[in-house]
Amino acid sequence: MEDRGDGMILFVPASTSKADLIDPLIPRLAAILGEYNRVICAASRIRLRVAVHAGEVLRSPSGWVGTDINLACRLVNSEPLYRELTRVPRADVVLVVSDVIHQGVIRHGYRGITPSGYRAVHVVSKEVDTHAWVHIPGVLAPARRRSVGGLRMLLAWR
């Protein structure tokens, strides 16, 4: 885990299934945050933007580095996620997955993941010009089941 001030990056081992991050982790995160938000005042409500991407990272003297970390950070800070938070004010979590994750996991519908619950967006930010996929757990599609797989995962949230 790496603290980024107003956010964090969670590095997940390559042996962790990408499908396990999409389901059950993201729906559980949304459910727990939703429970919290229901019992506090509106001014204290927490809403998260979460990005999931797979790629290579390197440890340098100054911390973790790599273009895949940059991509995850650009995705989580992208305009399409901010627009979704505005468009769906009841959303506690907005998820964006890279095209790598969409092509490798989402589109196959592993474990009951519903690909139609993900909407294509175009992300342009600094060096990034890419397609990604946005999902709002519990809003755009129902909760999911489980699967297996592997590859190094990057999650970034704010």
Side-chain angles (χ1 to χ4, degrees):
M1 194 165 46
E2 186 170 281
D3 186 350
R4 291 287 174 110
D6 64 344
M8 67 187 312
I9 297 177
L10 176 63
F11 297 93
V12 180
S15 60
T16 302
S17 166
K18 293 180 290 299
D20 285 342
L21 296 173
I22 304 303
D23 176 63
L25 180 66
I26 297 299
R28 288 286 300 137
L29 176 63
I32 291 167
L33 190 55
E35 289 171 16
Y36 173 81
N37 283 339
R38 277 190 288 283
V39 298
I40 61 159
C41 68
S44 298
R45 187 168 173 230
I46 297 172
R47 301 175 80 199
L48 293 179
R49 299 180 325 274
V50 179
V52 178
H53 175 60
E56 298 300 319
V57 297
L58 296 170
R59 182 81 167 146
S60 77
S62 62
W64 292 97
V65 298
T67 57
D68 289 305
I69 293 172
N70 293 344
L71 176 58
C73 291
R74 299 294 182 252
L75 291 176
V76 83
N77 287 317
S78 68
E79 186 59 35
L81 260 64
Y82 285 105
R83 278 196 310 264
E84 287 302 296
L85 286 172
T86 301
R87 188 180 72 81
V88 186
R90 72 183 185 275
D92 296 307
V93 174
V94 177
L95 170 68
V96 61
V97 299
S98 66
D99 199 49
V100 167
I101 298 300
H102 188 270
Q103 295 304 317
V105 178
I106 305 302
R107 76 181 180 100
H108 298 292
Y110 292 134
R111 212 188 269 160
I113 292 171
T114 306
S116 63
Y118 290 76
R119 192 167 51 79
V121 295
H122 187 206
V123 175
V124 178
S125 175
K126 297 184 181 177
E127 76 285 353
V128 170
D129 184 346
T130 190
H131 294 285
W133 302 81
V134 173
H135 173 70
I136 301 176
V139 176
L140 296 180
R144 319 288 182 247
R145 306 301 103 60
R146 292 183 190 21
S147 181
V148 295
L151 275 193
R152 182 168 303 258
M153 295 300 305
L154 304 175
L155 281 124
W157 64 74
R158 294 198 174 210

